[in-house]
Amino acid sequence: MEYTNLGRSGLSVSRLCLGTMNFGPETTEPDSFTIMDRAHEHGINFFDTANVYGWKTGEGVTEQIIGRWFATGGLRREKTVIATKLYGSMSDWPNGNLLSALNIRRACDESLRRMQTDYIDLYQMHHVDRATPWDEIWEAFSVLRQQGKVLYFGSSNFAGWHLAQAQEAARARHFLGLVSEQSIYNLLNRWVELEVLPAAKHYGLGVIPWSPLNGGLLGGALRKQREGGGGRSNSGRAKEGLAKHQEAIESYEKLCTDLGEDPANVGLAWLLHQEGVTAPIIGPRTTEQLDGSLRAAELKLDDEVLTKLDELFPAPGPNGSKPAPEAYAW
């Protein structure tokens, strides 16, 4: 496994990040333990979660599973760079969500308790809070850092101008600010290339793509349907996306077949070839899925293949693979 610094920070993380959203709702606790242990065996040290994960089984369930795994010892906590998030609703009562100083304090303490640890490596805002001033957010975060409860801070689902707002407010306070941004990013969804990636590069933020296979559409969805499977691609937004992009996905799967590679690994490898990307988040439900993802970290795509992928899934804007404003202006 290769490692890289998370943005401009000195923190070393693996080039693949283990997403834990399935732990609890889709994957049993014993199987979740096995997947996390296997991730360490493969050298994956970067795990991502959120306080709301658990969903129908109950918010906080995923963090609790991780906490019980940490508690089994064996240096599991020490070997893990744990990233969690706050913002989503954890209570029907006021101040149980968003980014007020009150919720930041409570949410952090509750995540620490659930995960049975005394510090969080990377604490991420799950979404921008337009109603809370940055002075309040950074003051609350600086207290957590002074207390040793959080080491680094990150954002998720921010626009480029939100990143600029956050970093300039942190700079005014002589605070490190954000070290990462977690955005949806994949061959089918390249909007972050317009503004978010240039802003992240300017401010020295690592980029952590979520949904790197766009809900499974880039993971061999058509092949799986022909074989009688398909999983998530058979319903909801994934089904609509498959219908919308079927021609491009058919060509994509043929290209992967010609390369002798699994489509999921090509999709992940493409992200690892993009400037500024730190680690795509993989969300395996089984150890077999985790093991299969490791190929992406070593797969090298040549210029011809990268050009073909750009043709199949062009960058947004009439001017293609240019950042804003050149992407849409003269």
Side-chain angles (χ1 to χ4, degrees):
M1 177 57 59
E2 294 183 359
Y3 300 88
T4 188
N5 283 23
L6 181 60
R8 69 193 188 285
S9 78
L11 186 67
S12 293
V13 295
S14 49
R15 293 302 311 277
L16 293 175
C17 177
L18 179 68
T20 64
M21 190 169 64
N22 289 318
F23 295 176
E26 301 290 337
T27 305
T28 66
E29 184 164 322
D31 287 346
S32 300
F33 280 24
T34 300
I35 289 172
M36 289 186 281
D37 283 334
R38 184 69 64 87
H40 274 183
E41 291 174 12
H42 288 308
I44 297 174
N45 74 332
F46 193 19
F47 293 10
D48 178 75
T49 191
N51 59 355
V52 293
Y53 289 175
W55 311 116
K56 294 180 180 180
T57 53
E59 290 83 354
V61 165
T62 302
E63 285 188 335
Q64 291 173 25
I65 290 173
I66 294 170
R68 288 190 284 270
W69 179 72
F70 283 156
T72 61
L75 297 178
R76 286 176 171 82
R77 175 64 186 97
E78 290 79 2
K79 292 179 179 179
T80 304
V81 174
I82 188 67
T84 192
K85 311 181 198 75
L86 81 155
Y87 178 90
S89 182
M90 299 293 289
S91 168
D92 294 332
W93 200 245
N95 300 306
N97 62 352
L98 307 180
L99 299 175
S100 68
L102 178 58
N103 189 52
I104 287 173
R105 175 180 176 175
R106 287 176 175 170
C108 180
D109 286 344
E110 290 167 2
S111 285
L112 292 171
R113 174 182 55 79
R114 284 190 290 267
M115 293 194 293
Q116 301 189 46
T117 184
D118 57 2
Y119 71 99
I120 294 165
D121 296 282
L122 177 64
Y123 204 30
Q124 303 163 108
M125 294 168 279
H126 215 156
H127 198 279
V128 66
D129 182 354
R130 297 178 177 87
T132 303
W134 278 107
D135 282 348
E136 178 179 349
I137 293 170
W138 283 128
E139 181 176 31
F141 281 164
S142 67
V143 170
L144 296 181
R145 200 158 197 262
Q146 290 165 6
Q147 293 172 334
K149 294 179 179 179
V150 175
L151 301 183
Y152 299 95
F153 295 93
S155 57
S156 183
N157 305 307
F158 276 32
W161 73 278
H162 294 137
L163 296 178
Q165 273 190 321
Q167 292 304 79
E168 293 304 323
R171 178 181 294 175
R173 301 180 66 88
H174 304 288
F175 198 59
L176 179 64
L178 304 172
V179 299
S180 63
E181 157 62 16
Q182 187 178 137
S183 289
I184 185 170
Y185 187 24
N186 55 61
L187 279 164
L188 279 166
N189 192 327
R190 299 177 59 173
W191 289 103
V192 293
E193 294 176 6
L194 291 178
E195 308 255 6
V196 175
L197 294 191
K201 179 180 178 180
H202 176 78
Y203 286 108
L205 276 59
V207 175
I208 309 167
W210 63 267
S211 193
L213 301 179
N214 205 68
L217 294 186
L218 296 165
L222 291 174
R223 183 198 67 203
K224 291 174 183 177
Q225 282 191 349
R226 290 193 296 269
E227 295 172 351
R232 291 180 295 170
S233 63
N234 286 326
S235 62
R237 285 184 297 175
K239 183 178 181 180
E240 296 173 4
L242 187 58
K244 180 179 179 181
H245 301 288
Q246 182 164 345
E247 184 177 347
I249 293 173
E250 283 179 350
S251 298
Y252 171 69
E253 293 189 13
K254 182 181 184 304
L255 173 63
C256 295
T257 299
D258 293 343
L259 293 173
E261 299 288 349
D262 187 272
N265 290 333
V266 174
L268 290 170
W270 177 83
L271 281 169
L272 290 169
H273 282 69
Q274 305 310 303
E275 183 181 7
V277 168
T278 300
I281 297 174
I282 56 173
R285 293 187 298 277
T286 65
T287 53
E288 289 76 18
Q289 290 178 346
L290 172 63
D291 292 342
S293 299
L294 270 294
R295 168 63 180 157
E298 60 187 28
L299 178 57
K300 304 301 180 184
L301 304 178
D302 61 30
D303 290 342
E304 182 179 352
V305 172
L306 292 172
T307 298
K308 181 62 176 177
L309 290 172
D310 277 335
E311 293 171 354
L312 291 175
F313 305 105
N319 294 329
S321 57
K322 295 182 179 180
E326 288 84 0
Y328 49 78
W330 55 270

